[in-house]
Amino acid sequence: MTLAHAVAQTGNGFLSPTGVEIAFLLVGVATLAAAVLTVTTRQLVHAALWLVVALGGLAVEYLLLTAEFIAWVQVLIYVGSVVVLLLFGLMLTKAPIGRSPDADSGNRAAALTVAAAAAAALVWVVVDAFRTTWIDLEGPAQGSTRVTGEILFRHWVLPFEALSVLLLAALVGAIVLSRRSPEGREGKS
Amino acid sequence: MHLVYPAVLSVLLFCTGLYGVLARRNAILVLMSVELMLNAVNLNLVAFDVWLRDALHSGQALTLFTIAIAAAEIGIGLAIVLMVYRNRGTSDIDRLRDTAEGREPPGGPAPAEKAEATA
């Protein structure tokens, strides 16, 4: 029914992609290439910078799916803070600048096998299941800041507050873990 | 938009992250791969939320929660990695084999390191 409806409405199909689909595909290819470079490059700092490209590409994909608020949250939190944290971590563990030959461990072939098998199985299942399904992107944006704020503070208030407690606990935990206790004395707290 | 495009992109990103988690040696690179996997899940959540036109927008709310939890996770994870690096002088996960079964580490520095780590 969905297929007939969609085809009758806009003539959707693999052979007549819309502009949004073409943009999604192009950005998706760039995102995937950046992700592959992230996990295969031998320069540790470059891995973090390719991660920026991958996460930014995902933000563009969210925009194309009309989830604006999530896209900007992605830019702010992932590109803004998580990557900076990762770069600081690389710096504080004295990661070598330049090529490091031991960036990959010995079980690379096994990892490649597992990842390829998982990708093949999942792509097969997903394509088989959603071959005739189209997303209707018409109408008002479903992820604008107004909509997201309304559903978040009308229906999801309790999880939201619990999440803030979790963030506080994580903050305290990170501080306690990374605090250097004074020499020769045990930390009191 | 065809639903297969975001779903397949999400699958491929997840498997890329899976490869990174299994194949990387540096703990921080493993954390980066975990971030890739979390982002793949987020893309799936957003795509299916937009497809289903859920009145509660559960997918987008869960995506926001996942992003917040990922931020907490990366903070705690980096703190642990830095502590391990301070105690052991390395953050390569191949060499942290204290709790591995079956293979005794040669030499005697392991108990001293353990005592230092728990101090």
Side-chain angles (χ1 to χ4, degrees), chain B residues 84-100:
Chain B
V84 167
Y85 180 78
R86 229 168 37 212
N87 284 332
R88 308 292 170 88
T90 179
S91 59
D92 290 353
I93 47 181
D94 285 15
R95 299 191 194 146
L96 306 172
R97 303 186 57 88
D98 286 350
T99 55

Side-chain angles (χ1 to χ4, degrees), chain A residues 83-154:
Chain A
V83 173
V84 173
L85 268 180
L86 286 170
L87 281 172
F88 264 103
L90 282 177
M91 192 181 79
L92 289 175
T93 54
K94 299 188 177 58
I97 304 293
R99 305 174 70 81
S100 54
D102 60 345
D104 288 335
S105 65
N107 47 13
R108 229 181 122 188
L112 199 59
T113 311
V114 169
L122 283 173
V123 164
W124 182 37
V125 168
V126 160
V127 168
D128 197 38
F130 301 113
R131 203 175 35 202
T132 56
T133 314
W134 273 269
I135 303 175
D136 186 14
L137 290 176
E138 302 297 321
Q142 296 183 59
S144 62
T145 312
R146 181 189 177 88
V147 174
T148 309
E150 277 177 355
I151 57 113
L152 206 57
F153 288 105
R154 188 170 293 164

Side-chain angles (χ1 to χ4, degrees), chain B residues 49-116:
Chain B
D49 179 77
V50 174
W51 172 49
L52 292 171
R53 293 187 166 268
D54 186 11
L56 292 184
H57 282 297
S58 323
Q60 296 193 19
L62 276 176
T63 307
L64 287 174
F65 295 163
T66 313
I67 290 176
I69 290 175
E73 171 253 332
I74 202 81
I76 294 282
L78 276 179
I80 291 174
V81 169
L82 287 185
M83 200 179 67
V84 167
Y85 180 78
R86 229 168 37 212
N87 284 332
R88 308 292 170 88
T90 179
S91 59
D92 290 353
I93 47 181
D94 285 15
R95 299 191 194 146
L96 306 172
R97 303 186 57 88
D98 286 350
T99 55
E101 283 184 359
R103 225 190 285 181
E104 281 298 313
E113 275 181 8
K114 253 178 226 162
E116 184 191 352

Side-chain angles (χ1 to χ4, degrees), chain B residues 6 11 29 31 37 48 74-75 85 88 101 103 106 109 118:
Chain B
V11 162
L29 291 177
L31 282 178
M37 293 165 83
F48 278 87
I74 202 81
Y85 180 78
R88 308 292 170 88
E101 283 184 359
R103 225 190 285 181
T118 50

Side-chain angles (χ1 to χ4, degrees), chain A residues 62 69-70 88 112 135 143 155:
Chain A
Y62 293 151
F69 185 68
I70 300 215
F88 264 103
L112 199 59
I135 303 175
H155 304 292

